[in-house]
Amino acid sequence: MAGIQKLCDRVASSTLLDDRRDAVRALKSLSKKYRLEVGIHAMEHLIHVLQTDRSDSEIIGYALDTLYNVISNDLEEEEQEENLPKQVDNLGSQFTEIFIKQQENVTLLLTLVEEFDFHVRWPGVKLLTSLLKQQGPQVQQIILVSPMGVSRLMDLLADSREVIRNDGVLLLQQLTKSNAAIQKIVAFENAFERLLDIITEEGNSDGGIVVEDCLLLLQNLLKNNNSNQNFFKEGSYIQRMKPWFEVGDDNCGWSAQKVTNLHLMLQLVRVLVSPTNPPGATSSCQKAMFHCGLLEQLCTILMATGVPADILTETINTVSEVIRGCQMNQDYFASVNAPSNPPRPAIVVLLMSMVNERQPFVLRCAVLYCFQCFLYKNQKGQGEIVSTLLPSTIDATGNSVSAGQLLCGGLFSTDSLSNWCAAVALAHALQENATLKEQLLRVQLATSIGNPPVSLLQQCTNILSQGDKIDRRGSKVQTRVGLLMLLCTWLSNCSIAVTHFLHNPANIPFLTGQIAENLGEEEQLVQGLCALLLGISIYYNDNSLENYRKEKLKQLIEKRIGRENFIEKLGFISKHELYSRAAQKPQPSFSSPDHMMFDHEFTKLVKELEGVISKAIYKSSEEDKKEEEVKKTLEQHDNIVTHYKKVIREQDQELEELKQRINTLTSQNEQLQATVTQQVSQIQQHKDQYNLLKVQLGKDTQHHNSHSDTFQMNGIQVEEVSKLKEELEEWKNKHELLQGQLREKDSVIEKLKSSQLEMGTTEQSSQTSKSGGLEHNNELQKELEMLRSQIQLQSAEISKLQIENQKLQVMNTTADPVFGDGGATAANNSELEGRLQQEIRELKSEVKALSEEKESLKQHLDSSSSTVAILQDEKSKLQQEVAESKKEQDDLLVLLADQDQKLSALKIKLKDLGVPVEDEDDIESGDQGDEDEEGDEEEQD
């Protein structure tokens, strides 16, 4: 004690850092054994060290380790002593309260956790984790209000040192417990991505305890947090869960860690599709699991061999919730076959396990839950199950076992648990489906050889009435409770089933006898269910059987049981402890087979019917009559409403047909109106033409009164036609001349091209050819302009000819009525018209030919213009080369001039020196003169 105080004094008063560091190290070594003393005396000094000595990582590490030893309750087993007082457990929370009383201490710790130094960061993480374990909500609140508090801790997942990363996962586990706000922040700080990456790196389900810690953290983030669940789904993280469930063919020898990991992975899937989640969120997750193949992977595990029993049970529960209420997933599950020979549906294989008393209890409960989820809001699946019981669909050969046969076998076996499971499963096949309740009345059972078949309803009531006479394994009450739940579900909201039930005269006496007896606590549940079944028989009674009308049954209750006693027995159901447990959640979870009494869906039915049956029992006959009258009037009103609805539908159909007919008629009317307007316009045009012709005929009769005048007119036309032919011949000749000129130009262009290829030998020859090319280019341009002008003239002449041709046609049309006046000349006129029309056709064809030739001439012109452009480009290139050669010549001349000056200066110097050089210079100059003359001659050549 005194030593600890001395060490604390050294920490507080020593000026040397080494002394303080040694004192803190000594306190650390004493902190595990003398936890209370160190915590009382040293905590304040250690916090002061964290505040003042942050520059020295070693002393900070010792201080953090000491605080961790004081606050943490996780003492190592070898250091624990048996005689430690019980108050030790509370020391951690008391010291934690002292530490977090000043919020700045937690903020300081968050700052230290940001340090990269291993000796600071790791003990800081452990200390913060211990604080959260001791006083979770208070520390969570401090971290939540601290600036970037949660974000700082998220960086631990990215630490490259696995020890810190793994302890960071444990810290976040404690931080996210039962705090939705922190869960959302952690999720939006990209926690899902990082955790899934760690799980993948560690080997998925084959990984170690790190995978387990990551899965626990994911559960914290997703469980009961709709926002995070939606974020997980929208981020496509469901698809990344599929590799977790990839198991091989050899499933023997799974390690305990792998079983734990896979168990947590399955629980994580169930968190996303839990029935307690909002329906929309659950449905979207179910669809995502189907589309990414996760459901298929789970069904593979379901049908695999060698899978441990607890994993198989949890997989069945997971598949149940993935398919619950989702038609697409339910249809897929119905199509899954077990890998047997011959292959059997997975549902049949599971039902075989459910009715087999040698299977584990939890596995049978899981199969029942799976069957219930398969049928939940699935009328198609309900119909398929019931159809296997109907006479027309039963397999006569008996080669394959159907789901219906297994349910019947379980319903009538000597194992009470199989009876209960089969009864509840069959009740779910009838849930909220009146059609199937009526169809199930047709099911006939062969009880023994030689006896007539008995209906399924009759057999259920027979077993119910026999009670304890049959020797069964398990609870005596369980079978009767299961059968009563089945009968209550079957008869509710089905008057025909009620009539069939009442038709057996032994049923009502049995029920009243059971209700009236004073039995023990176990039998009270049976009495309550019998009261419920009798109440359903009254409430849904259509009074079709005279002896069992509503009023008579009420009188029977009044005489045999008493109304108050009946209502009291009816209340036994909802007051039972097992009833309240079953009403909490859909999954059947029972601690032992004896507690397996109520089904979740049946508890809903009891809530719905308990009140209405109580009212129905107390109603008088007059009220019943009034109620029946009201029902009749309501039925009549409903019939009237349905009749009028039918009439309205028919009228709607007629209206639609009439609208379609109106649309077709309006479209036809519009088309007819359009044709009428066209015809009117045509008639108007014909009228105008007729009036013009009348005017022209009047003029023609004035100018051409005689037969000879008509011949003169024809003669004029013949002369004009001959003139046109002559002009056409002239144009043809001109066209041929133009084509010949074009050919000449083409040959010239070809020669130019060939000459240009020979140009590149010398500069002089290139200059001469270039000048020639330029001349040819100019000539070509002139000739092209002449050709264009000639073509324009030609096109003008062609247009004139076309106009004259049209005039001739008009004259022909006007001349027709004049020719018609003379009977003798009619034949001649028709011959002339035929000739004229033929000549006109010929003229048109010639004009067309001329226009085609014109187009070809244009093409020739375009090609020649392109060659001219090419020549111009080559000309510009040659000009550039000439300029460059001139520049080089000028440079050479400058150099020669410089050399001459130097030579002359040298000659003067030699002369001054007395060297005789005049003769040699003269000889050289003479030789050079000769060479220059020869060069000039060559240039002239």
Side-chain angles (χ1 to χ4, degrees):
M1 188 75 175
I4 292 170
Q5 186 63 50
K6 283 181 182 179
L7 290 171
C8 292
D9 292 339
R10 281 177 63 189
V11 172
S13 60
S14 181
T15 55
L16 292 174
L17 181 61
D18 291 339
D19 289 345
R20 293 200 301 277
R21 189 189 301 122
D22 293 339
V24 174
R25 187 191 296 116
L27 286 171
K28 176 192 169 186
S29 61
L30 295 170
S31 59
K32 288 186 180 179
K33 191 170 184 180
Y34 301 103
R35 181 180 172 193
L36 178 63
E37 290 80 2
V38 173
I40 291 169
H41 295 287
M43 181 173 284
E44 186 178 348
H45 302 297
L46 292 169
I47 292 170
H48 184 69
V49 167
L50 295 178
Q51 292 170 346
T52 56
D53 291 328
R54 288 184 57 187
S55 59
D56 186 57
S57 60
E58 194 173 354
I59 192 170
I60 295 292
Y62 292 146
L64 290 170
D65 282 331
T66 308
L67 287 169
Y68 172 74
N69 292 337
V70 168
I71 288 170
S72 175
N73 286 330
D74 301 333
L75 298 174
E76 296 190 14
E77 292 180 4
E78 61 214 18
E79 295 180 358
Q80 287 181 351
E81 297 179 8
E82 294 179 359
N83 57 357
L84 279 176
K86 293 182 180 178
Q87 287 81 6
V88 171
D89 295 336
N90 297 325
L91 279 178
S93 65
Q94 289 172 7
F95 285 131
T96 302
E97 282 183 16
I98 296 168
F99 185 85
I100 67 173
K101 196 170 185 181
Q102 298 294 327
Q103 294 188 6
E104 295 82 6
N105 295 339
V106 179
T107 309
L108 175 64
L109 189 55
L110 288 171
T111 309
L112 292 171
V113 167
E114 279 189 294
E115 295 287 338
F116 187 73
D117 194 321
F118 181 82
H119 297 289
V120 177
R121 195 172 206 181
W122 188 40
V125 170
K126 291 196 294 179
L127 177 58
L128 192 54
T129 307
S130 184
L131 292 173
L132 284 162
K133 282 181 181 178
Q134 302 297 339
Q135 296 289 338
Q138 291 89 333
V139 180
Q140 283 175 342
Q141 196 59 34
I142 296 168
I143 293 172
L144 194 59
V145 298
S146 175
M148 299 293 290
V150 179
S151 301
R152 294 180 197 176
L153 300 178
M154 284 301 299
D155 293 337
L156 296 171
L157 294 181
D159 201 303
S160 58
R161 295 161 294 192
E162 288 190 4
V163 177
I164 294 176
R165 184 199 69 184
N166 299 343
D167 280 350
V169 173
L170 296 173
L171 170 60
L172 290 171
Q173 272 183 33
Q174 298 298 326
L175 181 66
T176 54
K177 272 186 180 178
S178 306
N179 193 309
I182 293 177
Q183 289 167 4
K184 288 179 185 178
I185 295 169
V186 171
F188 283 97
E189 288 284 345
N190 207 21
F192 293 138
E193 185 77 32
R194 294 184 187 180
L195 290 171
L196 291 171
D197 287 342
I198 293 170
I199 291 169
T200 305
E201 288 168 12
E202 295 291 326
N204 293 328
S205 60
D206 293 319
I209 197 167
V210 180
V211 173
E212 180 183 346
D213 293 335
C214 290
L215 291 168
L216 288 170
L217 177 53
L218 283 170
Q219 278 193 22
N220 282 357
L221 295 174
L222 291 171
K223 199 167 187 178
N224 300 323
N225 193 318
N226 300 328
S227 172
N228 282 2
Q229 287 174 8
N230 188 50
F231 181 64
F232 192 84
K233 180 187 72 68
E234 295 296 332
S236 301
Y237 295 119
I238 290 175
Q239 286 82 334
R240 294 188 61 179
M241 297 168 77
K242 186 190 172 187
W244 296 354
F245 305 103
E246 291 176 356
V247 296
D249 297 329
D250 185 17
N251 296 314
C252 299
W254 283 17
S255 65
Q257 188 61 55
K258 180 171 182 175
V259 171
T260 304
N261 291 344
L262 206 53
H263 202 275
L264 288 169
M265 288 169 176
L266 291 166
Q267 284 182 353
L268 196 63
V269 175
R270 292 185 66 186
V271 164
L272 294 170
V273 292
S274 173
T276 57
N277 293 345
T282 301
S283 176
S284 58
C285 288
Q286 286 172 332
K287 290 174 183 174
M289 288 175 185
F290 172 76
H291 289 302
C292 75
L294 181 58
L295 175 60
E296 182 183 355
Q297 205 70 47
L298 292 171
C299 291
T300 305
I301 297 174
L302 202 66
M303 295 292 109
T305 55
V307 178
D310 52 348
I311 293 296
L312 183 60
T313 304
E314 190 62 25
T315 305
I316 294 169
N317 287 326
T318 307
V319 170
S320 306
E321 292 181 354
V322 172
I323 67 173
R324 187 177 189 269
C326 181
Q327 188 66 53
M328 177 171 57
N329 292 5
Q330 288 166 339
D331 291 344
Y332 171 76
F333 184 68
S335 66
V336 175
N337 286 325
S340 58
N341 192 15
R344 288 176 174 170
I347 297 168
V348 172
V349 175
L350 290 173
L351 287 176
M352 290 169 73
S353 301
M354 186 184 76
V355 297
N356 185 355
E357 56 186 298
R358 287 177 292 180
Q359 293 292 344
F361 171 66
V362 287
L363 180 65
R364 297 173 75 181
C365 290
V367 172
L368 176 62
Y369 184 46
C370 186
F371 191 72
Q372 290 173 353
C373 292
F374 170 67
L375 297 177
Y376 182 70
K377 292 184 179 179
N378 183 10
Q379 291 193 351
K380 180 183 175 184
Q382 287 176 324
E384 288 172 356
I385 297 297
V386 172
S387 66
T388 58
L389 285 164
L390 298 177
S392 58
T393 55
I394 293 174
D395 187 6
T397 58
N399 290 332
S400 61
V401 180
S402 67
Q405 289 171 338
L406 287 168
L407 290 176
C408 282
L411 195 62
F412 307 128
S413 74
T414 55
D415 177 35
S416 61
L417 189 59
S418 297
N419 300 155
W420 190 91
C421 291
V424 170
L426 199 54
H428 275 265
L430 304 174
Q431 201 80 39
E432 297 179 1
N433 199 325
T435 307
L436 294 180
K437 289 176 183 178
E438 293 177 12
Q439 287 186 3
L440 201 64
L441 296 169
R442 295 164 45 204
V443 176
Q444 300 290 320
L445 301 172
T447 54
S448 58
I449 299 170
N451 292 329
V454 180
S455 69
L456 178 61
L457 184 65
Q458 182 65 45
Q459 185 65 15
C460 289
T461 55
N462 290 344
I463 295 170
L464 193 62
S465 61
Q466 289 173 3
D468 297 334
K469 295 176 184 178
I470 301 172
D471 185 20
R472 297 181 186 281
R473 290 179 296 278
S475 173
K476 296 177 181 179
V477 179
Q478 200 169 38
T479 300
R480 284 183 286 166
V481 169
L483 289 169
L484 285 166
M485 284 197 296
L486 172 60
L487 291 170
C488 289
T489 307
W490 196 347
L491 269 59
S492 64
N493 205 18
C494 184
S495 299
I496 299 171
V498 171
T499 304
H500 277 71
F501 178 75
L502 295 175
H503 194 71
N504 185 353
N507 289 338
I508 295 299
F510 168 73
L511 292 178
T512 53
Q514 287 287 317
I515 298 165
E517 286 183 18
N518 291 319
L519 303 171
E521 289 185 5
E522 289 186 357
E523 297 292 334
Q524 283 182 353
L525 196 54
V526 176
Q527 286 183 318
L529 290 168
C530 287
L532 180 65
L533 185 57
L534 184 56
I536 290 170
S537 302
I538 294 170
Y539 186 71
Y540 291 105
N541 192 343
D542 59 358
N543 294 326
S544 57
L545 294 175
E546 186 62 32
N547 294 330
Y548 296 103
R549 295 173 66 83
K550 283 185 179 181
E551 189 59 35
K552 289 186 177 181
L553 290 173
K554 287 180 187 178
Q555 290 173 4
L556 188 65
I557 289 172
E558 182 68 29
K559 290 178 183 178
R560 299 274 182 90
I561 305 165
R563 290 180 183 177
E564 289 78 10
N565 192 21
F566 179 85
I567 299 299
E568 184 185 354
K569 297 289 175 72
L570 184 62
F572 285 166
I573 302 171
S574 56
K575 291 175 183 175
H576 203 280
E577 182 187 356
L578 297 175
Y579 173 88
S580 58
R581 283 188 195 172
Q584 289 174 2
K585 57 180 181 178
Q587 183 183 359
S589 55
F590 306 103
S591 55
S592 67
D594 294 338
H595 292 160
M596 204 170 190
M597 290 293 173
F598 285 108
D599 172 55
H600 178 75
E601 291 298 324
F602 181 73
T603 60
K604 294 180 182 178
L605 183 67
V606 173
K607 285 179 185 176
E608 181 186 342
L609 294 177
E610 191 175 6
V612 295
I613 288 171
S614 300
K615 288 179 183 178
I617 295 298
Y618 280 105
K619 280 180 184 176
S620 62
S621 59
E622 293 178 358
E623 288 176 345
D624 282 338
K625 286 178 182 177
K626 286 180 182 178
E627 191 175 341
E628 286 177 5
E629 287 175 2
V630 170
K631 282 184 180 179
K632 285 179 181 177
T633 53
L634 286 172
E635 286 176 359
Q636 287 175 359
H637 285 302
D638 289 339
N639 292 331
I640 292 165
V641 168
T642 52
H643 173 69
Y644 278 117
K645 282 182 180 178
K646 188 177 180 182
V647 170
I648 289 166
R649 286 195 200 96
E650 291 174 356
Q651 288 177 350
D652 285 338
Q653 289 178 356
E654 290 177 359
L655 278 171
E656 288 296 325
E657 290 174 358
L658 289 169
K659 282 179 182 178
Q660 290 177 358
R661 286 183 64 187
I662 287 165
N663 291 329
T664 53
L665 289 170
T666 50
S667 61
Q668 289 176 2
N669 187 21
E670 288 172 358
Q671 290 175 0
L672 291 169
Q673 283 181 350
T675 52
V676 166
T677 51
Q678 287 177 359
Q679 289 175 357
V680 167
S681 62
Q682 287 177 1
I683 290 165
Q684 189 64 38
Q685 287 176 2
H686 287 309
K687 283 181 180 178
D688 295 339
Q689 289 175 1
Y690 177 70
N691 292 328
L692 285 169
L693 286 170
K694 282 176 79 174
V695 171
Q696 287 177 358
L697 281 170
K699 290 179 181 179
D700 289 338
T701 52
Q702 289 176 3
H703 293 292
H704 310 287
N705 289 324
S706 64
H707 181 66
S708 61
D709 292 338
T710 59
F711 273 108
Q712 272 184 351
M713 184 179 173
N714 292 332
I716 290 163
Q717 289 177 353
V718 171
E719 288 174 359
E720 287 178 353
V721 168
S722 62
K723 285 179 182 178
L724 286 169
K725 284 183 177 179
E726 290 173 359
E727 287 177 0
L728 279 172
E729 289 295 329
E730 289 176 3
W731 283 114
K732 282 181 182 178
N733 295 329
K734 287 179 181 179
H735 180 65
E736 288 175 356
L737 286 170
L738 287 170
Q739 281 185 339
Q741 290 175 358
L742 276 173
R743 290 193 200 97
E744 290 176 1
K745 301 301 177 291
D746 290 337
S747 63
V748 170
I749 288 164
E750 291 294 328
K751 288 176 182 177
L752 281 170
K753 286 181 179 178
S754 61
S755 64
Q756 280 179 358
L757 292 171
E758 297 172 357
M759 277 180 194
T761 55
T762 60
E763 287 183 0
Q764 293 176 353
S765 62
S766 66
Q767 288 177 352
T768 56
S769 65
K770 188 169 183 183
S771 62
L774 289 170
E775 291 173 1
H776 283 298
N777 280 338
N778 294 328
E779 290 175 2
L780 277 171
Q781 285 179 350
K782 289 177 184 178
E783 288 176 357
L784 283 169
E785 288 174 359
M786 290 174 65
L787 283 169
R788 283 181 183 135
S789 61
Q790 287 177 1
I791 286 166
Q792 287 175 355
L793 291 168
Q794 204 174 24
S795 62
E797 291 293 331
I798 288 165
S799 62
K800 285 180 183 178
L801 285 170
Q802 288 176 347
I803 292 163
E804 289 178 1
N805 188 9
Q806 289 174 357
K807 286 180 181 179
L808 284 171
Q809 286 179 350
V810 171
M811 290 171 70
N812 268 334
T813 55
T814 54
D816 286 342
V818 177
F819 296 152
D821 293 339
T825 59
N828 292 329
N829 289 337
S830 63
E831 288 177 2
L832 284 169
E833 286 176 7
R835 289 175 189 172
L836 283 169
Q837 287 176 356
Q838 188 174 1
E839 289 174 353
I840 286 162
R841 288 194 202 96
E842 290 174 357
L843 284 169
K844 284 182 180 178
S845 62
E846 289 174 355
V847 167
K848 188 176 180 182
L850 284 170
S851 63
E852 290 175 354
E853 289 174 357
K854 177 185 171 185
E855 290 296 325
S856 65
L857 285 170
K858 281 183 180 179
Q859 290 177 358
H860 281 296
L861 281 171
D862 293 336
S863 63
S864 60
S865 64
S866 64
T867 53
V868 167
I870 293 164
L871 288 170
Q872 285 177 349
D873 292 337
E874 291 176 352
K875 171 187 170 185
S876 63
K877 288 178 182 177
L878 289 169
Q879 285 176 349
Q880 190 175 359
E881 290 175 359
V882 168
E884 289 176 355
S885 62
K886 282 181 180 179
K887 188 177 178 182
E888 289 175 356
Q889 286 177 358
D890 292 337
D891 294 338
L892 287 168
L893 288 170
V894 171
L895 289 170
L896 286 169
D898 291 340
Q899 286 179 354
D900 288 337
Q901 288 178 0
K902 288 177 181 179
L903 285 169
S904 61
L906 288 168
K907 285 176 183 178
I908 292 165
K909 285 181 180 179
L910 288 168
K911 285 178 182 179
D912 292 338
L913 292 168
V915 179
V917 291
E918 291 179 358
D919 297 335
E920 291 177 1
D921 292 338
D922 294 335
I923 292 164
E924 286 177 1
S925 62
D927 294 337
Q928 191 173 0
D930 295 335
E931 288 174 359
D932 293 337
E933 288 176 0
E934 288 174 4
D936 293 335
E937 288 175 0
E938 286 175 0
E939 285 177 0
Q940 289 175 0
D941 293 335

